[in-house]
Amino acid sequence: MPKTQIKDLNTNIYNFKNKDEYAYKIKNGLTKDIVCEISQKKNEPKWMLDIRLKALETYEKLSLPTWGPDLSELKMDEIATYVKPKTNMKDNWDDVPENIKDTFEKLGIPKSEREYLAGVGAQYDSEVVYHSMKKDLLEQGVIYTSMEEAIEKYPEIVKEYFSKCVPLTEHKFIALHYAVWSGGSFVYVPKNVKLEMPLQSYFRLNSPESGQFEHTLIIVEDNSSLHFIEGCSAPKYNKVNLHAGCVELFVKENAYLRYSTVENWSKNMLNLNTKKAICEKNAQIDWVSGSFGSKISMLYPMSILKGENSKTEYTGISFAGAGQNLDTGFKVVHLAKNTSSVVNAKSLSKNGGICTYRALVKVTPNATGSKCSVNCDGLMLDDKSRSDTLPVNDIQTNDVEFSHEAKVGKISEKSIFYLMTRGLSEDDAKATIVRGFANPVSKELPLEYAVEMNRLINLELEGAIG
Amino acid sequence: MKINYSPVLTSQNYGTNYYQVIDSTFDNKNVSFNPKIYGENVTIENNTFAVSSAICDQAKAQAKISKAIVIEQNNTPVKIDIFQNKETCVAGNLFITLNEYTNRDIIINIESETATFANLNLVFNIKKSANANVTILSNANNAQIFLNIEAKIEENAKFKSVTISAAANEYVLKHTTSLLENSTSETKCLYLGKNKDKIDLNIISEIHGKFANSTINVVGSLNNFAEKSFKGTIDFKQGAAKSYGDEKELCLMFSPSCKSKALPILLCAEEDVEGSHSTATGKIDESSLFYIMSRGISKRDAIKMVSMAKFANIIQSINDEETKNKVLNLIDRNLDNV
């Protein structure tokens, strides 16, 4: 039987480069002066500068992780941590400079806004260049803006929540993030407001040898709901780029938040992102994640189920091709009674790509009556690739229902035979199986550009299998 | 001191990669090693091998005395008693070679009422087409037991092991199997944790050859303040095409104060393999208990019945009737206190 072969995803649509133009690019490296300069350029309050300096101190004390992919090629001396684009934030698409507008037009962002979204934010290099939201949401008190503007206009709210979900001591790269963060979105959904349409932020890194360190802070108050979509891409350069963003989510009582990400960074990107959510009583946080790009990813979203009856679901897929090492997973901590979590993770590795599922389920002694179900599957598409599963399960009470299942292997010949007896060609049978494998996740991927991504996967399969 | 490391590390913050003991654990102990070996067609040889791995370097350095035995075909089992009368601390290496086409049961007892410490390296060399059924029973109430088992399984050979930790204050097991073409490894572990017992199991199966088959099945119960950490690794190396690996872990928790950690690792560098793992943790399902109790059976007996059913797969793998009865009694006594 011939080998199953699947071509790499066609990422050319994301790989166009604009001229490296900027209003200001900070010199490469990471020093106290650079951190102070970023803060000064942003005209920040002193409390934020204090956080940055404390984070820098922590970054210098912490060492690189002893586990996970090799990060030795990351040289902070060669990375510019702040690149200000040649524009300020606009709320009218027509006011955005042509070359930046053109970038986001190619990515389909304004079209999505018109058709599907309640609001859009677009970040180019280190700053948000465009933010807008439907008027009726403004009237209901929903805030959707850049982090910089939020610090200026809503300092009390930001101060109350900033760095409270993800502490700056958590690991080396979150300390780095807090030292040099720039851009990102701030969303505040007041009590009893349910957004029918999603909000979307898109992050584009154009400048070579630079980093993107956006900070996203979302607060969904009691009885409210929100679907937030995040997309990321960058053109490919020869030297490494770095993405060390941070996402802090607060889901209050009876609230619901769905956080969807399609990450398609270029294959020279080190993606060391940190995402965490705190769920209060009866709240629910759902994560949908598609990881397709980057050279190295270390990405483990985390849900802290703090309130009774809170819930979380994680649905994720990773697709590692040649030269990619995607170390992803999900962490959940059950802190309160009757909390529940469902994890469904899939990975595809091909052409020497490495997929690792690295995860944590922790059920604390107080989390009696909790339920947790984890399922992770890896599909290997050739013998040059790797697929590893490393889940940690830490159960500290007996009143819990916990189960974990994982499978790894190739496409089953029995399944191919079964489908062929039903009249499918061998190629169609294999394509059907791979599509079916990815379907539980890909059907959850969000809207316009995710549809594009799904279509891409399917087309590639149809053209190449057999 | 951190010992018994997992082959692949995950975040250090999780505390599952290793087992923590006090620094002086392997120091200043008056250890001896005089295992009694019973069985026909068994040759005791002077050892010339070196131990390739141990729970940690300190444990390796402590186990200075070595014995080597070569086992040939015979229908009777080979029995090995590790502790002799009044011995309290033992440390040593035992090299066991099963010659080609030999099919034997091997029963190793680490049992003593007076024992306080055991540090053992059991190294198995299962030659081509040989078949070893090994049962290792640890039953020493107040002891620290450090057990390193290594098995090199040659082409077409089978290595089936059942390790039982019925009683020990501290039980640390590292169990490594290395499989060549068309070989089979069945690793079964049963543990009964109570009081403040600490159990650390690190089971590694490296599949090097084609058409190899490796299964890991770990079942146990925790009561009172007992803690268990299970690290299981099935590692498909490149070249292990058409091989199969599966690990299962089930932990019954009888008390809200006990703790269970599990790190079931699946590493895959070969496409044409089938690998899977599953773990489940929790108390006995209330509806099962209710069903049995509705038939007029007391709660204690219902718990025993359900627990025994969960343990049955492992108990049935013990070929030696005397050991099997001993294990059944130990489980029964243990479940009396639930």
Side-chain angles (χ1 to χ4, degrees):
Chain A
M1 194 172 280
K3 283 259 179 201
T4 306
Q5 286 182 348
I6 298 176
K7 285 181 185 169
D8 280 331
L9 287 175
N10 177 8
T11 53
N12 289 338
I13 56 159
Y14 303 100
N15 199 24
F16 54 89
K17 293 168 191 167
N18 287 350
K19 204 175 162 192
D20 185 24
E21 288 181 329
Y22 42 80
Y24 177 78
K25 188 171 185 175
I26 210 157
K27 64 179 180 185
N28 291 1
L30 182 66
T31 61
K32 189 176 175 185
D33 288 346
I34 286 173
V35 170
C36 291
E37 199 177 328
I38 294 172
S39 183
Q40 193 188 6
K41 289 275 176 200
K42 291 177 172 289
N43 206 14
E44 282 174 356
K46 189 177 174 301
W47 64 267
M48 185 55 81
L49 176 62
D50 289 344
I51 288 178
R52 285 182 187 275
L53 292 174
K54 198 177 165 197
L56 178 66
E57 214 175 283
T58 310
Y59 171 79
E60 282 161 356
K61 280 183 197 160
L62 294 173
S63 48
L64 285 170
T66 51
W67 46 274
D70 178 18
L71 298 172
S72 56
E73 67 183 308
L74 173 63
K75 295 188 172 53
M76 280 311 294
D77 294 346
E78 295 173 5
I79 301 268
T81 52
Y82 179 63
V83 184
K84 184 174 166 50
K86 272 186 164 175
T87 180
N88 293 324
M89 190 173 80
K90 311 289 183 196
D91 56 9
N92 185 341
W93 188 244
D94 294 334
D95 296 340
V96 176
E98 274 308 314
N99 62 334
I100 297 178
K101 199 158 66 175
D102 187 45
T103 301
F104 289 107
E105 292 277 3
K106 281 179 184 164
L107 295 167
I109 308 304
K111 186 170 172 278
S112 304
E113 182 187 359
R114 284 192 299 272
E115 293 179 4
Y116 304 111
L117 301 169
V120 156
Q123 176 160 337
Y124 193 80
D125 290 334
S126 297
E127 298 278 354
V128 176
V129 292
Y130 173 67
H131 243 292
S132 84
M133 192 174 56
K134 292 202 185 308
K135 274 184 185 161
D136 59 320
L137 295 177
L138 274 173
E139 283 157 11
Q140 290 178 69
V142 176
I143 303 167
Y144 179 39
T145 185
S146 70
M147 274 306 297
E148 283 81 355
E149 193 173 274
I151 291 172
E152 199 183 317
K153 288 188 175 170
Y154 316 102
E156 291 312 313
I157 309 179
V158 177
K159 215 172 165 179
E160 187 183 342
Y161 291 101
F162 190 85
S163 82
K164 300 298 186 296
C165 181
V166 182
L168 59 87
T169 50
E170 193 152 303
H171 57 83
K172 190 172 181 73
F173 295 103
I174 198 65
L176 168 68
H177 166 88
Y178 278 115
V180 296
W181 77 267
S182 181
S185 293
F186 173 80
V187 184
Y188 180 82
V189 184
K191 285 181 184 175
N192 307 315
V193 176
K194 294 190 193 305
L195 274 74
E196 300 294 334
M197 291 161 87
L199 299 176
Q200 174 181 305
S201 283
Y202 199 95
F203 301 95
R204 176 79 176 174
L205 182 59
N206 183 68
S207 189
E209 293 184 343
S210 59
Q212 198 167 60
F213 306 93
E214 84 286 355
H215 194 97
T216 298
L217 177 57
I218 299 178
I219 301 135
V220 186
E221 289 284 7
D222 299 355
N223 306 313
S224 297
S225 75
L226 167 68
H227 181 187
F228 188 86
I229 303 168
E230 174 194 66
C232 342
S233 69
K236 189 175 179 187
Y237 294 103
N238 290 330
K239 292 203 169 178
V240 293
N241 276 17
L242 172 64
H243 176 235
C246 176
V247 174
E248 296 188 281
L249 310 175
F250 295 87
V251 193
K252 299 298 182 74
E253 285 190 21
N254 303 308
Y256 174 77
L257 172 60
R258 185 181 179 91
Y259 195 93
S260 302
T261 308
V262 174
E263 174 270 300
N264 196 30
W265 292 114
S266 56
K267 306 243 173 103
N268 63 318
M269 179 69 83
L270 304 186
N271 180 31
L272 310 172
N273 214 1
T274 307
K275 298 177 179 181
K276 201 189 273 188
I278 296 178
C279 260
E280 304 286 348
K281 195 174 173 182
N282 298 323
Q284 180 165 351
I285 168 81
D286 290 349
W287 303 85
V288 180
S289 173
S291 293
F292 301 93
S294 80
K295 183 174 191 181
I296 290 174
S297 265
M298 290 179 80
L299 177 61
Y300 322 100
M302 182 176 194
S303 292
I304 297 184
L305 303 177
K306 189 180 163 196
E308 284 181 24
N309 303 313
S310 55
K311 290 179 184 146
T312 187
E313 266 190 47
Y314 172 83
T315 312
I317 188 164
S318 302
F319 193 142
Q324 287 185 276
N325 187 344
L326 304 185
D327 202 288
T328 59
F330 180 66
K331 299 190 279 184
V332 56
V333 179
H334 293 251
L335 288 176
K337 283 180 184 173
N338 304 321
T339 47
S340 76
S341 57
V342 178
V343 180
N344 190 5
K346 306 260 181 190
S347 71
L348 286 150
S349 43
K350 63 169 292 274
N351 210 8
I354 302 171
C355 268
T356 305
Y357 177 77
R358 198 184 294 267
L360 169 73
V361 172
K362 184 168 185 167
V363 181
T364 59
N366 292 334
T368 51
S370 292
K371 289 179 183 174
C372 177
S373 161
V374 181
N375 204 321
C376 53
D377 297 332
L379 194 58
M380 301 264 295
L381 300 173
D382 58 48
D383 57 3
K384 290 182 286 182
S385 309
R386 273 197 79 90
S387 178
D388 296 342
T389 311
L390 295 105
V392 173
N393 307 311
D394 183 356
I395 313 295
Q396 301 184 359
T397 179
N398 68 333
D399 188 7
V400 61
E401 276 178 41
F402 167 78
S403 68
H404 175 111
E405 277 184 55
K407 274 186 190 148
V408 65
K410 66 166 195 171
I411 299 174
S412 147
E413 286 176 13
K414 278 183 195 161
S415 307
I416 294 169
F417 177 75
Y418 176 82
L419 288 172
M420 287 171 73
T421 63
R422 296 298 185 268
L424 265 68
S425 71
E426 190 182 321
D427 293 358
D428 283 346
K430 286 177 178 174
T432 304
I433 291 163
V434 177
R435 255 190 243 122
F437 176 81
N439 190 52
V441 183
S442 58
K443 76 177 183 191
E444 299 291 336
L445 289 175
L447 299 175
E448 180 70 4
Y449 62 95
V451 170
E452 179 68 16
M453 189 74 76
N454 290 344
R455 194 173 63 81
L456 264 174
I457 296 173
N458 290 343
L459 280 177
E460 289 294 337
L461 289 171
E462 280 173 12
I465 274 205
Chain B
M1 186 167 66
K2 292 166 182 171
I3 65 169
N4 209 11
Y5 267 93
S6 157
V8 179
L9 300 185
T10 186
S11 168
Q12 297 287 11
N13 299 334
Y14 302 161
T16 36
N17 293 320
Y18 51 79
Y19 180 70
Q20 184 94 36
V21 289
I22 56 167
D23 286 352
S24 59
T25 302
F26 297 96
D27 301 337
N28 305 321
K29 285 198 166 60
N30 187 17
V31 293
S32 54
F33 190 52
N34 304 296
K36 256 196 182 152
I37 300 157
Y38 312 89
E40 291 172 31
N41 281 3
V42 176
T43 317
I44 301 176
E45 291 183 344
N46 289 327
N47 165 49
T48 52
F49 305 105
V51 185
S52 58
S53 81
I55 297 273
C56 63
D57 288 345
Q58 288 83 345
K60 201 172 179 176
Q62 187 195 42
K64 286 175 186 157
I65 311 169
S66 300
K67 306 269 180 196
I69 58 172
V70 178
I71 301 174
E72 306 275 355
Q73 178 59 35
N74 191 280
N75 289 333
T76 57
V78 179
K79 293 196 176 184
I80 303 169
D81 287 336
I82 298 293
F83 278 96
Q84 304 310 314
N85 284 342
K86 293 182 184 170
E87 265 186 333
T88 55
C89 296
V90 297
N93 310 304
L94 191 58
F95 296 88
I96 301 170
T97 303
L98 221 73
N99 273 347
E100 290 182 14
Y101 298 99
T102 304
N103 183 356
R104 290 296 285 267
D105 290 342
I106 304 166
I107 295 119
I108 302 174
N109 284 316
I110 310 170
E111 280 193 287
S112 168
E113 284 176 9
T114 53
T116 57
F117 181 86
N119 168 20
L120 298 166
N121 287 319
L122 306 177
V123 183
F124 292 89
N125 193 357
I126 314 298
K127 298 281 188 185
K128 286 178 187 171
S129 303
N131 185 1
N133 291 310
V134 181
T135 304
I136 302 166
L137 172 63
S138 302
N139 182 24
N141 249 326
N142 301 309
Q144 287 175 296
I145 295 177
F146 299 93
L147 189 55
N148 177 53
I149 300 171
E150 275 176 61
K152 188 186 166 202
I153 310 162
E154 294 188 0
E155 289 86 349
N156 302 314
K158 283 184 184 168
F159 179 73
K160 296 181 182 175
S161 74
V162 182
T163 54
I164 302 129
S165 167
N169 269 350
E170 205 167 13
Y171 180 80
V172 183
L173 170 71
K174 184 178 179 189
H175 187 297
T176 313
T177 51
S178 170
L179 287 91
L180 299 182
E181 195 170 325
N182 210 23
S183 60
T184 301
S185 157
E186 275 181 25
T187 308
K188 295 184 178 179
C189 277
L190 172 70
Y191 60 85
L192 304 168
K194 60 184 185 313
N195 302 328
K196 289 184 178 174
D197 290 353
K198 288 188 173 165
I199 296 159
D200 189 79
L201 310 170
N202 187 9
I203 297 167
I204 303 153
S205 183
E206 293 174 353
I207 305 177
H208 297 272
K210 290 179 182 174
F211 298 100
N213 191 322
S214 175
T215 55
I216 297 172
N217 192 352
V218 176
V219 182
S221 65
L222 297 175
N223 197 10
N224 312 120
F225 296 91
E227 291 178 17
K228 180 263 331 176
S229 176
F230 163 72
K231 304 184 278 276
T233 307
I234 288 188
D235 188 356
F236 292 101
K237 304 283 187 188
Q238 216 163 23
K242 308 279 180 200
S243 291
Y244 172 84
D246 177 47
E247 55 181 313
K248 288 192 176 73
E249 199 248 346
L250 172 70
C251 178
L252 295 176
M253 297 171 85
F254 291 121
S255 144
S257 309
C258 50
K259 288 176 182 164
S260 163
K261 285 183 183 176
L263 176 54
I265 299 173
L266 205 50
L267 307 175
C268 188
E270 176 60 55
E271 171 208 14
D272 192 5
V273 298
E274 247 185 88
S276 58
H277 69 216
S278 59
T279 63
T281 307
K283 59 183 180 180
I284 291 178
D285 178 34
E286 295 283 348
S287 58
S288 305
L289 287 182
F290 177 78
Y291 178 82
I292 296 168
M293 287 162 72
S294 69
R295 300 296 188 264
I297 294 167
S298 71
K299 188 172 182 182
R300 175 165 294 178
D301 287 343
I303 289 172
K304 276 188 183 177
M305 282 173 78
V306 177
S307 305
M308 281 293 189
K310 306 272 185 198
F311 300 158
N313 178 281
I314 291 184
I315 297 164
Q316 281 162 11
S317 305
I318 304 171
N319 285 348
D320 181 59
E321 282 303 315
E322 187 191 336
T323 311
K324 192 186 277 183
N325 288 334
K326 207 185 283 178
V327 171
L328 284 169
N329 279 336
L330 287 164
I331 294 172
D332 195 57
R333 272 211 317 253
N334 193 283
L335 293 174
D336 273 342
N337 299 320
V338 169

